[in-house]
Amino acid sequence: MNRADPTVAFERPRRRMLEAQLLPRGISDPRVLDAMLHVPRHMFVNAALASHAYQDSALPIGEGQTISQPYMVAKMSQLLELQGHERVLEIGTGCGYQTAVLSRLCRRVYSIERIASLSQRARRNLRAARHANVMLKCADGTLGWDEYAPFDAILAAAGGSAIPDAWVQQLRDGGMLIMPLGSTGAHELIRLRKRGNTLIEERFDSCSFVPLIAGAHS
Ligand code: SAH
């Protein structure tokens, strides 16, 4: 093991995570599996939780928020069908783990988090784990990021009962949007494909995400 590089630690638990949690549940995109194998999830959680980082669950990241379960991160990433050239908007940076996975799958990730302390921690985590093709900002993500629109894909890591208009407007024609849709505690993972003025909707797993909250965080 290269001890100078902290990203190579926990390689065995990461491999086990793939074998026990991802492959049996239908994660098959080789690029997604490769990203899940290489992004050091333990570097995105509090040091006290590092040994739990690869377990089959969400974990607390402070401020009442959670890092999503590995399977859910992989599933959402796979549903975007990224090839590598895309510019992706992410809503809900949290600790930056999903951002890191996406950054290995596309050209650039633009990620918005409404809680400043989390956005700052994500910036440190992403730097430590050596992810450079990422832009972060602390703001209300329901407004999207107009300056860099249109996006090839949008991923929301917080659940809401409606799709914000700004996201649909800022999505490129032919692009895809993934989000947990529904009421708190009872979301469904949905994928929307934009075709001109219409949106084609598909529904996937039932899930439970932290809520998408519009407006500034005090
Ligand atoms: N993918 C993240 C998961 C974070 S949980 C990770 O890997 O850690 C979802 C995040 O969405 C929370 O941090 C929450 O603060 C944030 N969030 C909720 N509403 C938001 C909004 N309107 N704009 C930006 N971020 C929001």
Side-chain angles (χ1 to χ4, degrees):
M1 186 174 96
N2 174 6
R3 291 190 186 281
D5 181 357
T7 64
V8 301
F10 289 89
E11 207 179 320
R12 210 177 291 163
R14 268 200 299 282
R15 212 166 271 286
R16 269 204 303 273
M17 171 183 84
L18 256 68
E19 285 159 9
Q21 303 170 34
L22 307 186
L23 291 164
R25 294 180 185 144
I27 304 301
S28 57
D29 180 332
R31 298 181 72 244
V32 172
L33 290 167
D34 185 71
M36 297 299 291
L37 188 59
H38 288 101
V39 176
R41 185 170 161 97
H42 64 279
M43 291 177 68
F44 290 83
V45 297
N46 191 298
L49 290 174
S51 63
H52 299 281
Y54 299 98
Q55 73 189 29
D56 190 14
S57 64
L59 291 172
I61 54 172
E63 305 280 357
Q65 309 301 320
T66 54
I67 178 175
S68 308
Q69 177 196 23
Y71 163 72
M72 200 43 79
V73 171
K75 176 77 183 188
M76 292 176 92
S77 304
Q78 177 164 282
L79 285 173
L80 288 179
E81 298 176 2
L82 298 168
Q83 307 294 314
H85 59 271
E86 298 87 352
R87 295 161 66 255
V88 178
L89 174 67
E90 180 192 34
I91 318 298
T93 320
C95 66
Y97 175 69
Q98 171 89 69
T99 320
V101 171
L102 288 172
S103 82
R104 290 186 68 106
L105 299 171
C106 69
R107 180 149 64 88
R108 191 168 282 271
V109 186
Y110 301 82
S111 186
I112 309 175
E113 168 58 55
R114 68 186 283 276
I115 301 177
S117 61
L118 290 179
S119 185
Q120 284 153 12
R121 185 154 359 122
R123 193 177 296 282
R124 289 196 296 275
N125 290 343
L126 287 159
R127 196 172 298 146
R130 303 173 187 182
H131 294 267
N133 55 338
V134 167
M135 283 189 69
L136 303 183
K137 85 165 170 177
C138 182
D140 175 7
T142 61
L143 305 174
W145 200 336
D146 210 15
E147 206 180 334
Y148 294 105
F151 299 98
D152 300 298
I154 299 180
L155 183 154
S161 54
I163 305 151
D165 290 342
W167 298 357
V168 178
Q169 278 157 21
Q170 293 178 20
L171 187 61
R172 169 182 74 72
D173 194 14
M176 289 202 275
L177 186 163
I178 305 280
M179 76 173 288
L181 189 69
S183 49
T184 304
H187 299 122
E188 246 185 319
L189 198 55
I190 63 146
R191 177 167 71 179
L192 296 172
R193 214 181 279 256
K194 185 169 169 178
R195 288 260 187 272
N197 289 330
T198 53
L199 290 172
I200 300 156
E201 184 181 309
E202 293 165 276
R203 289 174 179 262
F204 297 90
D205 307 38
S206 299
C207 49
S208 176
F209 276 73
V210 298
L212 179 71
I213 302 170
H217 175 67
S218 52

